[in-house]
Amino acid sequence: MALRPVQVNIKAVDHAAVGRFWAAALGWGVVGGEAGGTSYAGPGDGLGWPPAVGVGIDVVGVPEAKSAVKNRAHLDLASTSGQHQRELVARLRDLGATPADVGQGDVPWTVLADPEGNEFCVLEPREVYRDTGPIAAVVVDCADPRAMARFWGGASDWAVHEVADTHASLRSAAGVGPYLEFLRKAGGKTVPDRVHLDLLPYPGDDKEAEVARLKALGAADLDVGQGDVPWTCLVDPEGHEFCVLALP
């Protein structure tokens, strides 16, 4: 049994506008946009779900605006050259991104925020991300990267690539798409997550059995007022929210 990360879930007051932003930012298609619904951005025309390679972005409408607290999870975008990085930053700002200060200081990457304030980074060229596609990594702040690598390596079918006291990384065992990275940061969760991962069982696997397996690994139930829905909301051992989706 295994679960595959299939999408990054982003909460937004105007999910249609934020969905359009991310689709344009990544060169993807977007579907949805109905009031009270969601907007899904994915490779190609956006209709291929679950994505065959990498992860998509599902923007879910919520009534609450983002607080001033920095998100504990964010996207890192890849660039292929210094010129590409500069052009990408300029294009993203034209699309509605704004500069963000998260205490990064003088660094070679650029920190921006999407139209509703969700932080993300445009990285300088790095060899490790040469074949990831537009999303280099999904990055999660945590207290113990080693423990997070153990949990997420057991929870998902992604392979653990690197583990240290300060950071850890996983990636699809097929070596495609973005990395999942855990960075040691001081401070814990103070507000509900605005950005999280959604996982999907493989055809033939039992979702409830997968949920039970995750709980045995250290996950716990999460009630965000979701009511009777086909997905299951959980938190990992450090309180990061995630969902196990039902098979389509």
Side-chain angles (χ1 to χ4, degrees), residues 12 22 26 29 52 54 80 92-93 95-96 99 135 138 151-152 184 217 232-233 244:
W22 281 106
L26 301 172
T80 58
L92 291 166
R93 295 192 65 175
L95 291 171
I135 300 176
V138 180
F151 173 81
W152 284 92
R184 189 174 69 188
L217 290 172
T232 301
C233 299
V244 180

Side-chain angles (χ1 to χ4, degrees), residues 144-239:
D144 188 344
R146 292 184 182 275
M148 288 297 94
R150 286 193 298 271
F151 173 81
W152 284 92
S156 74
D157 65 347
W158 284 19
V160 176
H161 272 245
E162 187 176 6
V163 178
D165 290 340
T166 57
H167 64 278
S169 65
L170 296 81
R171 195 186 189 194
S172 162
V176 296
Y179 287 81
L180 174 59
E181 298 179 349
F182 297 94
L183 299 182
R184 189 174 69 188
K185 298 285 186 179
K189 180 177 180 179
T190 59
V191 297
D193 292 336
R194 300 287 289 189
V195 178
H196 70 255
L197 278 174
D198 286 340
L199 310 181
L200 183 71
Y202 279 90
D205 286 348
D206 181 84
K207 182 175 80 71
E208 296 310 315
E210 284 294 296
V211 168
R213 185 178 66 83
L214 292 172
K215 290 181 181 179
L217 290 172
D221 288 314
L222 172 68
D223 186 353
V224 291
Q226 66 269 25
D228 185 16
V229 293
W231 59 87
T232 301
C233 299
L234 299 169
V235 292
D236 72 14
E238 287 203 12

Side-chain angles (χ1 to χ4, degrees), residues 45-60:
D45 60 10
L47 297 174
W49 192 92
V53 175
V55 298
I57 294 179
D58 189 38
V59 185
V60 178

Side-chain angles (χ1 to χ4, degrees), residues 18-28 77 88 91-92 95 97 120 134:
V18 174
R20 289 193 299 271
F21 169 83
W22 281 106
L26 301 172
W28 289 355
L77 305 189
L88 180 55
R91 185 169 67 82
L92 291 166
L95 291 171
F120 66 98

Side-chain angles (χ1 to χ4, degrees), residues 21-42:
F21 169 83
W22 281 106
L26 301 172
W28 289 355
V30 62
V31 294
E34 297 83 3
T38 69
S39 295
Y40 178 79

